[in-house]
Amino acid sequence: MNDTTLADGLEIRPATEADLPAIVAMLADDPLGATRESPEDLAPYRTALKRITEDPHQRLVVAVRAGRVVGTLQLTLVPGLSRKGATRSIVEGVRIHADERGSGLGTVFMEWAIATSRAEGCQLVQLTSDVTRTDAHRFYERLGFVASHVGFKLAL
Amino acid sequence: MNDTTLADGLEIRPATEADLPAIVAMLADDPLGATRESPEDLAPYRTALKRITEDPHQRLVVAVRAGRVVGTLQLTLVPGLSRKGATRSIVEGVRIHADERGSGLGTVFMEWAIATSRAEGCQLVQLTSDVTRTDAHRFYERLGFVASHVGFKLAL
């Protein structure tokens, strides 16, 4: 995966271990993430990052502006049989730093995810968003996503 | 992945190329799948099956009763950073043969997916279901799934 340098000095590149404090801080700085993350203990995130980077179907990236991590996003490539053997991509863990909200970074980031999915031969990009995140829903719909499904989760 | 032999002579095992005609027939025998699949041309499915079986994070299985394929399901293991580095599994492409509906196979199959996810160290099982599949929604809720998310898709 190559780095992508965009307008305004914004760069999208694979996440590394050095990015973990900034990534986990963004995961925790969120109404839902606040109770689910442990920014004071990065050990489980280091283990998880290793699993992610060893999986060739994962693209965990950060957006960097002026040397500072301002966003993160994870793309999973999922080969499948349905839809005539279509491969789909799944977007998870989209977070934009509070200072960057409204800057257009979310759009640039999702456009990167869509372009990468297309370049990888995917026929479909999908994601789920908590029912309470209504602003995010409008954002995805503006990008052309259709709210055609119900997303179910079961905690183990 | 080992085969799992269950009550009533039902077996759950990895899908092979010989299973493709039966799997694709089930994908096509569905109100949504009817217009999206090509059971008369298996070539794209063969290519996709190769991609799936080469990906160690995929579990594409069939349910077999008395030597006959009566169900299919795909489980994807997705390592991630959020929720303290949780790995989740995603269930896709659940299909039960028309002759088996109401037989309890759907429940047995999903229980297999949940048990496999747990054995693989997942903390979360997730899936999306088309908003029109209201019977399926009740089925997933009976299994303990929570309809907490909106599922968005973008066709490329």
Side-chain angles (χ1 to χ4, degrees), chain A residues 27-95:
Chain A
L27 293 174
D29 180 24
D30 176 271
L32 297 171
T35 59
R36 296 197 300 225
E37 307 300 341
S38 65
E40 70 292 344
D41 175 18
L42 294 178
Y45 299 96
R46 273 187 216 106
T47 306
L49 179 65
K50 190 163 180 295
R51 281 196 294 265
I52 296 168
T53 51
E54 285 173 353
D55 180 345
H57 293 83
Q58 298 295 335
R59 306 283 181 277
L60 176 70
V61 294
V62 286
V64 179
R65 197 194 297 276
R68 186 163 159 258
V69 172
V70 290
T72 181
L73 176 153
Q74 183 180 350
L75 200 64
T76 302
L77 305 174
V78 182
L81 286 185
S82 63
R83 300 171 187 244
K84 296 180 196 164
T87 294
R88 60 188 75 198
S89 68
I90 298 178
V91 181
E92 288 276 358
V94 183
R95 293 294 185 281

Side-chain angles (χ1 to χ4, degrees), chain A residues 37 51 74 79 83-85 88 92 123 125-127 129 131 146 148-154 156, chain B residues 37 45 51 74 79 83-85 88 92 123 125-127 129 131 146 148-154 156:
Chain A
E37 307 300 341
R51 281 196 294 265
Q74 183 180 350
R83 300 171 187 244
K84 296 180 196 164
R88 60 188 75 198
E92 288 276 358
Q123 284 97 326
V125 184
Q126 64 188 54
L127 59 89
S129 180
V131 292
V146 179
S148 54
H149 284 62
V150 180
F152 291 89
K153 291 190 200 269
L154 173 73
L156 297 182
Chain B
E37 307 300 341
Y45 300 96
R51 280 197 294 266
Q74 183 180 350
R83 299 170 187 246
K84 298 181 194 166
R88 60 188 76 199
E92 288 274 357
Q123 284 96 326
V125 184
Q126 63 188 54
L127 59 89
S129 180
V131 292
V146 180
S148 54
H149 283 62
V150 180
F152 289 90
K153 292 191 198 266
L154 174 73
L156 298 182

Side-chain angles (χ1 to χ4, degrees), chain B residues 4-28:
Chain B
T4 307
T5 302
L6 304 155
D8 306 325
L10 190 72
E11 180 196 19
I12 297 176
R13 60 158 174 79
T16 68
E17 192 168 325
D19 301 319
L20 278 179
I23 294 172
V24 177
M26 287 189 291
L27 292 175

